[in-house]
Amino acid sequence: MAANLRDELKQTRPWASLQEEVSLNIARTSAVLDHEMAQMLKPYGITSTQYNVLRILRGAGESGLCRNEVGERLIRPVPDVTRLLDRMEQQGLIDRRRVGDDRRFVTTYVTTQGLELLGQLDDLVLAFHRDRLAHLDNDQLKALIELLESVRSV
């Protein structure tokens, strides 16, 4: 049986509204999934945000992306993309190069080391998603996607 948010949080008072209960359920579910993903990635020395950046840059291919484009594509926005990329460059996962005449324009690329790490993680992350949501059938998954997209589109 599914865990009840009220029991999980030891909530004794009623929610102010059904909307509040739904919002808190979404937030709690996100926190649980984020924590599990972080624990899975920890032995590899990266965070879920860094993993997200690596996937974004792999998808960009040889053309790479500028800092702003990386930031716009993140699942969970971060306040300082430059520092995030600085740390990843120090780890050898990404490379940044100035392109063209404008010295301010820097393009970011995933390195061979970053691609190798992604290769190690691809099946693990796929299995994580599949296992965590295995109890939902395809119709339920599609309905959940539509509902969440609807919440975000307001």
Side-chain angles (χ1 to χ4, degrees), residues 109-137:
Y109 307 87
V110 63
T111 63
T112 301
Q113 182 180 338
L115 289 172
E116 288 171 358
L117 179 58
L118 279 172
Q120 293 175 37
L121 292 170
D122 282 337
D123 289 340
L124 185 67
V125 172
L126 184 61
F128 166 76
H129 293 304
R130 283 188 176 151
D131 293 346
R132 200 60 172 92
L133 299 169
H135 61 289
L136 300 175
D137 65 33

Side-chain angles (χ1 to χ4, degrees), residues 136-153:
L136 300 175
D137 65 33
N138 284 348
D139 288 339
Q140 290 173 312
L141 291 169
K142 288 175 186 175
L144 182 56
I145 289 168
E146 287 179 23
L147 290 168
L148 293 171
E149 287 174 347
S150 177
V151 169
R152 287 194 313 275
S153 70

Side-chain angles (χ1 to χ4, degrees), residues 8-153:
E8 278 186 53
L9 301 180
K10 298 174 179 52
Q11 174 76 13
T12 57
R13 288 189 268 169
W15 305 113
S17 67
L18 189 57
Q19 290 82 359
E20 178 188 40
E21 185 176 0
V22 169
S23 293
L24 293 174
N25 265 285
I26 292 170
R28 177 66 175 180
T29 303
S30 175
V32 167
L33 292 173
D34 286 348
H35 178 73
E36 290 176 5
M37 178 71 89
Q39 292 305 112
M40 183 181 62
L41 294 173
K42 196 173 190 176
Y44 297 89
I46 64 169
T47 66
S48 57
T49 301
Q50 290 171 323
Y51 174 74
N52 189 198
V53 169
L54 290 175
R55 285 185 42 110
I56 290 167
L57 292 174
R58 177 173 62 183
E62 294 181 14
S63 60
L65 294 171
C66 74
R67 172 187 50 88
N68 289 342
E69 292 171 312
V70 171
E72 290 168 358
R73 296 178 185 200
L74 288 171
I75 298 291
R76 184 176 302 259
V78 295
D80 194 346
V81 176
T82 301
R83 275 204 294 216
L84 169 66
L85 297 178
D86 286 345
R87 286 189 301 273
M88 293 181 73
E89 188 173 33
Q90 290 169 358
Q91 290 174 280
L93 300 173
I94 65 166
D95 183 38
R96 291 184 283 185
R97 291 180 233 135
R98 297 196 188 288
V99 179
D101 296 333
D102 188 346
R103 303 251 326 128
R104 295 171 298 173
F105 190 79
V106 178
T107 303
T108 306
Y109 307 87
V110 63
T111 63
T112 301
Q113 182 180 338
L115 289 172
E116 288 171 358
L117 179 58
L118 279 172
Q120 293 175 37
L121 292 170
D122 282 337
D123 289 340
L124 185 67
V125 172
L126 184 61
F128 166 76
H129 293 304
R130 283 188 176 151
D131 293 346
R132 200 60 172 92
L133 299 169
H135 61 289
L136 300 175
D137 65 33
N138 284 348
D139 288 339
Q140 290 173 312
L141 291 169
K142 288 175 186 175
L144 182 56
I145 289 168
E146 287 179 23
L147 290 168
L148 293 171
E149 287 174 347
S150 177
V151 169
R152 287 194 313 275
S153 70

